């Protein structure tokens, strides 16, 4: 297997527990329970044939469920890699998420049950949310934000975050949400790449029982004129902690927003107008601003939300992600609200104050559909099933998984201890770039296999190809590709059309290359095998090895660094760093910890290497490429419990041998 194919779970060094062979031998199958199939939104297999026979007709039918100010002229204009969907149409995303439900007499329906980590609760109906969004939209205008201006959002998971995103959509000001766990530096880079005019933030949020600061990193990001595009900062008071407010720049939300008029005319946006940017890690140090536009995105997320989660009017749907990631954008906010469904939003950590927090929420709000990530399921497994067993989870009828391949053990645990062996599980494969779910069971139709994301969504043409782009026979592994365009696909990388072509469309001209390895079994089911590039998946979050390496070498004492992803029982993968220090710097456990903190400050705590190993050398090929596979083997051979390992004789030997051989790995 090529060097690149050895990153994710399925592709670890031979002999580790999650090899793809082990996965594909998982033979239990779970047909949809008959009662579930009978009532499902998608209960007719014909949906697949229909979409295949007439892709444009299929998506046009889905688009017709939305409200349009002006209908589209053309469903699709496809000049690979440039797609235009629903050209000529005009609509507004916030109108579709709010006004039309209120106009249809559903204003009293709950849009969100929100719960803060300390236990505070807020219930927001569609009518209230529409008013809140109108006020916020007028406040944004009062702060000088105009259609087309970018707005950065750096907030805790509080209702105001959803309000701010929808207010941006209402006035046609694209948002770029930066996850609250990112550092001041990461925030600054994203603000500057997007040239955001306004930052919406809060004094802080609650995490693990303590208030964490958000305003201070914003101040640090903006210090010394580092973000020249930013004119104003709008600040929500959430924790009450002390913050400094810059005169003329910073404005309290409570001073400005509540006094605004609730009525705000939604902008008539063209189908292909920019809805938002969301930065994600690629294979270089610079994150990519993924571009999503208005109509196709909303069509994609609303249709997939409805079919995959089998959404009915009386469902209480909980996507336990953070709004800061694409899962939150598509399946907490836009998809569910476009469908007029009732959601749960929870601010904090799953084990605060105790590991039963989630199950208490499920019981109290009678959650019927739960969508989460394998890393969270594995954490619950570790805490034990007794926490869920204390609660009445009988309201649950469907479970979902996203973010990384789910190992069959976690699948079965989820099925048994959370789903009471009666709930289908939808394992959904997709990415920031795809905008919406691409490979997933339809719960009333698809027989599931633990560990497989099963089959492409109707209209999605996925394939597994070899290095030359030929489809591999069933039962073999290769690279995942998508052959046909889909409405919610990324339209580009902000400001960098060349990188867009290069990253996704150059490996196989005309085919979309997502960067994942996959295998298709004899039944045509897809088994995702992890990334085939230098992107790691840590707790379902994408991290670039290059970005972490850059953060390490930005430290004065570091001469060179290499980072690899290694298997971790809880987080899926974990970053392991190999560091060569400059002359005069002394390797020590304390210094390893210091470097970990340095990475946290540069990127964010999620990027902290789990281990730092000091070495005198790095193994390189003759062409000078770091031999990451060897480093992965070395890192995998070590207990990951200790955070710093001083190079010992065997490591040094292995590295020296490899360097001396200098053989190319590919
Ligand atoms: C991985 C998150 C296997 C994959 C929505 C993809 C998955 C990357 C799955 C995107 C899944 C996501 N099975 N792998 N069900 N879901 N991935 O952009 O490697 O944060 O390319 O989007 O996560 O991560 P992103």
């Amino acid at each position: 297997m090529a060097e690149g194919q050895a990153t994710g779970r399925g592709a670890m060094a031979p002999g580790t527990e999650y090899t793809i062979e082990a996965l594909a031998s998982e033979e239990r199958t779970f047909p949809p329970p008959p009662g579930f199939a009978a009532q499902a939104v998608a209960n007719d297999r014909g949906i697949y044939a229909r979409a295949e026979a007439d892709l444009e007709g299929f998506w046009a039918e889905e688009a017709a469920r939305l409200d349009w100010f002006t209908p589209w002229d053309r469903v699709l204009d496809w000049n690979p890699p440039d797609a235009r969907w629903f050209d000529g149409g005009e609509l507004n995303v916030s109108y579709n998420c709010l006004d039309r439900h209120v106009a249809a007499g559903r204003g009293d329906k709950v849009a969100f049950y929100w719960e803060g980590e300390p236990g505070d609760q807020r219930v927001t109906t569609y009518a209230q949310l529409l008013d809140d969004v109108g006020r916020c939209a007028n406040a944004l205008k009062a702060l000088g934000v105009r259609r087309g201006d970018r707005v950065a959002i750096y907030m805790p998971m509080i209702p105001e975050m959803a309000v701010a995103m929808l207010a941006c959509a209402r006035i046609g000001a694209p948002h770029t949400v930066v996850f609250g766990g990112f550092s001041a530096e990461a925030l600054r880079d994203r603000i500057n790449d997007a040239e955001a005019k306004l930052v919406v933030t809060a004094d802080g949020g609650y995490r693990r029982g303590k208030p964490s600061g958000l305003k201070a990193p914003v101040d640090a990001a903006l210090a010394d004129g580092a973000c020249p595009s930013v004119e104003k900062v709008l600040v929500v008071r959430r924790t009450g902690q002390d913050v400094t407010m810059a005169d003329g720049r910073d404005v309290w939300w409570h001073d400005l927003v509540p006094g605004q008029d609730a009525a705000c005319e939604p902008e008539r946006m063209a189908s292909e107008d920019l809805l938002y940017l969301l930065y994600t890690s690629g294979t270089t140090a610079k994150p990519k601003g993924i571009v999503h536009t208005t109509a196709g995105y909303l069509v994609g997320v609303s249709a997939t939300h409805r079919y995959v989660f089998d959404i009915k009017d009386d469902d209480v749907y909980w996507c336990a992600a953070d709004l800061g990631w694409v899962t939150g954008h598509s399946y907490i906010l836009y998809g569910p609200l476009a469908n007029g469904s009732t959601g749960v939003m929870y601010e904090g950590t799953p084990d605060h104050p105790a590991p039963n927090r989630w199950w208490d929420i499920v019981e109290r709000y009678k959650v019927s559909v739960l969508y989460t990530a394998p890393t969270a399921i594995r954490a619950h497994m570790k805490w034990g099933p007794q926490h869920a067993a204390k609660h009445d989870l009988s309201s649950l009828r469907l479970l979902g998984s996203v973010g990384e391949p789910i190992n069959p053990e976690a699948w079965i645990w989820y099925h048994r201890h959370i789903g009471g062996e009666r709930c289908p599980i939808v394992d959904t494969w997709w990415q920031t770039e795809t905008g919406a779910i691409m490979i997933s069971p339809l719960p009333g139709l698809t027989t599931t296999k633990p560990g497989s994301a099963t089959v492409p969504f109707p209209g999605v043409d996925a394939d597994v190809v070899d290095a030359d782009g030929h489809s591999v026979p069933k039962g073999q592994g290769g690279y995942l590709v998508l052959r046909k365009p889909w409405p919610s696909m990324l339209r580009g990388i902000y400001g960098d059309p060349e990188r867009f072509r290069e990253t996704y469309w150059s490996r196989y001209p005309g085919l979309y290359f997502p960067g994942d390895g996959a295998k298709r079994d004899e039944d045509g089911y897809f088994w995702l095998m992890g990334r085939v590039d230098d992107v790691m998946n840590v707790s379902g979050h994408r991290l670039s090895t290059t970005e972490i390496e850059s953060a390490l070498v930005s430290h004065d004492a570091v001469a060179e660094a290499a980072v690899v992803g290694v298997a971790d029982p809880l987080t899926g993968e974990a970053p392991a760093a190999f560091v060569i220090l400059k002359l005069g710097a002394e390797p020590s456990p304390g210094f390893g910890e210091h470097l970990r903190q340095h990475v946290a400050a540069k990127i964010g705590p999620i990027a902290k290497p789990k281990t730092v190993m000091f070495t005198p050398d790095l193994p390189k090929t003759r062409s000078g490429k770091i031999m990451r596979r060897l480093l992965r083997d070395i890192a995998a051979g070590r207990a990951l419990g200790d955070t710093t390992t001083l190079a010992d004789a065997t490591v040094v030997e292995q590295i020296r041998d490899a360097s001396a051989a200098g053989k190319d790995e590919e």
Side-chain angles (χ1 to χ4, degrees):
M1 193 182 264
E3 147 78 358
Q5 267 175 292
T7 47
R9 176 226 21 199
M12 284 159 202
T16 51
E17 50 184 326
Y18 299 139
T19 59
I20 193 65
E21 283 71 24
L23 264 182
S25 69
E26 169 55 59
E27 271 161 10
R28 282 165 288 186
T29 56
F30 296 81
F36 194 101
Q39 58 81 61
V41 173
N43 60 3
D44 172 6
R45 299 216 144 268
I47 189 171
Y48 289 103
R50 242 185 336 116
E52 195 178 332
D54 180 10
L55 183 74
E56 293 186 24
F58 173 78
W59 286 116
E61 227 172 84
E62 294 305 322
R65 296 180 192 279
L66 300 177
D67 269 21
W68 298 75
F69 298 133
T70 314
W72 61 88
D73 306 319
R74 262 180 95 140
V75 176
L76 171 65
D77 210 337
W78 177 225
N79 298 302
D82 299 313
R84 300 183 67 82
W85 284 87
F86 309 108
D87 237 355
E90 287 184 319
L91 74 171
N92 181 282
V93 165
S94 88
Y95 181 91
N96 271 283
C97 289
L98 303 169
D99 308 56
R100 67 176 177 138
H101 304 314
V102 175
R106 296 163 11 112
D108 290 339
K109 185 169 179 183
V110 173
F112 286 120
Y113 293 107
W114 173 83
E115 189 157 310
E117 199 188 70
D120 43 340
Q121 297 167 7
R122 271 153 75 178
V123 181
T124 309
T125 64
Y126 275 91
Q128 284 161 352
L129 190 56
L130 175 59
D131 282 0
D132 291 348
V133 168
R135 288 195 181 92
C136 180
N138 284 324
L140 297 184
K141 288 185 184 173
L143 292 171
V145 178
R146 300 284 168 262
R147 178 174 174 149
D149 290 340
R150 273 83 58 215
V151 173
I153 296 179
Y154 184 67
M155 294 178 84
M157 272 274 286
I158 53 177
E160 287 83 353
M161 185 172 182
V163 169
M165 291 167 77
L166 289 162
C168 287
R170 194 162 191 88
I171 65 171
H175 53 71
T176 179
V177 174
V178 180
F179 174 60
F182 277 119
S183 68
E185 280 198 38
L187 174 64
R188 186 195 60 205
D189 293 346
R190 287 159 174 78
I191 289 174
N192 283 337
D193 193 78
E195 295 178 286
K197 192 168 183 181
L198 175 82
V199 181
V200 188
T201 187
D203 49 359
Y206 290 96
R207 266 278 353 123
R208 299 186 200 288
K210 285 187 299 223
S212 67
L214 286 170
K215 179 62 166 57
V218 171
D219 293 339
L222 303 186
D224 306 321
C227 297
S229 59
V230 174
E231 292 173 8
K232 300 280 180 188
V233 179
L234 183 60
V235 190
V236 177
R237 181 178 283 155
R238 163 74 181 130
T239 60
Q241 63 196 291
D242 270 345
V243 295
T244 36
M245 296 290 280
D247 252 1
R249 187 194 75 185
D250 300 350
V251 182
W252 283 110
W253 177 292
H254 57 258
D255 286 340
L256 181 69
V257 178
Q260 300 291 316
D261 193 344
C264 173
E265 197 57 32
E267 286 286 320
R268 298 168 76 99
M269 304 303 289
S271 290
E272 285 296 341
D273 278 342
L274 179 58
L275 175 62
Y276 70 77
L277 299 175
L278 186 59
Y279 286 82
T280 190
S281 293
T283 52
T284 68
K286 190 172 150 35
K288 307 175 282 198
I290 301 301
V291 171
H292 282 297
T293 58
T294 302
Y297 176 78
L298 197 63
V299 171
V301 297
S302 57
T304 49
H305 177 255
R306 190 166 156 268
Y307 288 120
V308 173
F309 298 110
D310 191 49
I311 294 299
K312 312 285 171 37
D313 197 38
D314 56 356
D315 273 312
V316 177
Y317 161 88
W318 182 19
C319 168
D322 191 288
L323 271 172
W325 306 104
V326 75
T327 305
H329 284 55
S330 297
Y331 297 108
I332 294 177
L333 198 66
Y334 292 121
L337 292 183
N339 289 331
S341 64
T342 293
V344 171
M345 256 170 89
Y346 170 57
E347 176 190 29
T349 39
D351 56 342
H352 189 83
N356 68 329
R357 182 65 186 267
W358 274 22
W359 317 122
D360 182 43
I361 290 177
V362 168
E363 179 173 1
R364 276 188 287 115
Y365 297 104
K366 301 201 169 21
V367 172
S368 55
V369 181
L370 174 67
Y371 189 30
T372 185
T375 185
I377 298 165
R378 289 192 299 265
H380 287 291
M381 282 171 81
K382 192 182 81 179
W383 299 326
Q386 69 278 14
H387 303 291
K390 282 198 291 225
H391 294 276
D392 176 6
L393 306 183
S394 60
S395 55
L396 287 172
R397 64 183 196 90
L398 176 62
L399 303 173
S401 173
V402 62
E404 58 177 308
I406 179 166
N407 46 305
E409 297 77 4
W411 197 104
I412 295 290
W413 191 92
Y414 196 27
H415 178 69
R416 181 168 306 152
H417 296 291
I418 308 305
E421 298 189 345
R422 70 181 180 276
C423 305
I425 295 181
V426 288
D427 173 8
T428 63
W429 177 88
W430 60 294
Q431 315 175 286
T432 305
E433 291 88 336
T434 66
I437 292 167
M438 296 282 106
I439 303 180
S440 166
L442 292 181
L445 293 173
T446 316
T447 292
T448 54
K449 302 183 186 184
S452 168
T454 73
V455 294
F457 187 79
V460 173
D461 190 356
D463 197 2
V464 180
V465 299
D466 64 18
D468 300 323
H470 301 118
S471 295
V472 300
K474 283 186 177 159
Q476 283 187 24
Y479 302 97
L480 182 68
V481 293
L482 302 177
R483 292 189 177 277
K484 283 185 195 152
W486 63 99
S488 63
M489 63 198 286
L490 79 165
R491 300 300 194 266
I493 294 177
Y494 194 62
D496 202 343
E498 202 30 59
R499 190 173 177 200
F500 171 57
R501 283 174 183 274
E502 170 63 31
T503 309
Y504 305 106
W505 304 94
S506 67
R507 189 160 185 153
Y508 307 111
L511 304 187
Y512 175 77
F513 173 60
D516 279 50
K519 171 173 171 167
R520 210 154 21 150
D521 69 16
E522 296 302 330
D523 298 326
Y525 276 36
F526 286 76
W527 297 78
L528 279 306
M529 296 164 66
R531 302 289 308 190
V532 294
D533 53 14
D534 290 333
V535 173
M536 252 181 283
N537 191 325
V538 180
S539 297
H541 301 319
R542 271 165 72 170
L543 292 172
S544 150
T545 54
T546 327
E547 200 178 348
I548 304 175
E549 285 166 4
S550 305
L552 284 166
V553 296
S554 75
H555 191 285
D556 282 347
V558 174
E560 207 177 346
V563 172
V564 295
V566 294
D568 182 275
L570 211 56
T571 59
E573 279 185 285
F578 293 80
V579 172
I580 304 178
L581 290 179
K582 287 182 182 159
L583 228 54
E586 277 301 309
S588 69
F591 199 64
E593 179 55 26
H594 171 75
L595 288 181
R596 296 174 71 242
Q597 294 308 331
H598 178 74
V599 173
K602 284 275 164 189
I603 304 173
I606 46 168
K608 267 194 300 203
K610 184 148 187 202
T611 58
V612 175
M613 203 180 291
F614 295 105
T615 81
D617 240 326
L618 286 172
K620 296 204 176 137
T621 61
R622 280 200 202 94
S623 55
K625 278 169 72 182
I626 294 171
M627 299 167 74
R628 291 172 197 281
R629 185 161 51 173
L630 180 82
L631 294 179
R632 262 195 296 275
D633 289 349
I634 295 173
R638 251 131 244 281
L640 275 180
D642 43 350
T643 49
T644 304
T645 318
L646 301 182
D648 61 33
T650 50
V651 173
V652 177
E653 248 166 58
Q654 283 173 53
I655 289 177
R656 290 235 168 94
D657 287 353
S659 301
K663 59 182 191 308
D664 281 335
E665 283 196 294
E666 278 80 3

